Amino acid sequence: MIATAKTQATSELLLAAVLSSLSDDKAEDVVQIDLRGKTEIGDYMVICSGRSTRQVSAMSEKLVERLKGEFGVNARTEGKGTGDWVLIDTGDVIVHIFRPEVREFYQLEKMWQPTAAN
């Protein structure tokens, strides 16, 4: 999408752009978690996997570039150097990109997904 003016970044637009970018870059096992009303850290969390450290790093770089280009968002990143787990914080949407083994170890989805009533 080429825009002449930067689009106003709502959390829903950021989420859609994040999901689109990850899909374009062949992210695997993408999970989106609605955090509204659960925490103040953001409105949404997205967790996904890349097949290698190289893919994890490349997906994170592309995502940050796309968000800056489309919305003017300067996302903060952590972990890009190692490529095992990259955290991208846009303010409203938090993105975790993992290698599968690291994702399995930390199991962030279990911490944030709603639990079933017994």
Side-chain angles (χ1 to χ4, degrees):
M1 175 172 137
I2 299 174
T4 54
K6 301 249 186 286
T7 306
Q8 180 62 36
T10 65
S11 57
E12 288 75 18
L13 285 174
L14 281 172
L15 176 64
V18 164
L19 295 172
S20 175
S21 179
L22 294 173
S23 175
D24 290 349
D25 292 338
K26 309 292 187 249
E28 297 178 346
D29 301 319
V30 179
V31 174
Q32 135 189 358
I33 302 169
D34 188 340
L35 299 177
R36 294 172 296 177
K38 296 178 187 170
T39 181
E40 297 295 316
I41 64 171
D43 290 341
Y44 298 99
M45 181 179 294
V46 176
I47 303 170
C48 67
S49 299
R51 291 181 300 281
S52 66
T53 56
R54 176 180 231 133
Q55 185 188 21
V56 167
S57 294
M59 282 193 297
S60 66
E61 282 179 32
K62 289 275 194 170
L63 177 57
V64 169
E65 288 171 14
R66 288 172 177 151
L67 294 176
K68 184 170 179 79
E70 190 170 338
F71 300 103
V73 171
N74 288 316
R76 295 179 303 276
T77 61
E78 294 287 334
K80 193 174 68 109
T82 59
D84 286 332
W85 174 7
V86 179
L87 167 67
I88 302 163
D89 184 356
T90 71
D92 290 330
V93 180
I94 299 160
V95 183
H96 297 274
I97 306 175
F98 288 99
R99 276 190 318 102
E101 302 82 15
V102 178
R103 182 176 180 176
E104 178 62 29
F105 180 79
Y106 287 102
Q107 298 186 11
L108 286 185
E109 293 98 324
K110 287 187 179 180
M111 204 163 57
W112 290 101
Q113 291 284 31
T115 56
N118 291 340

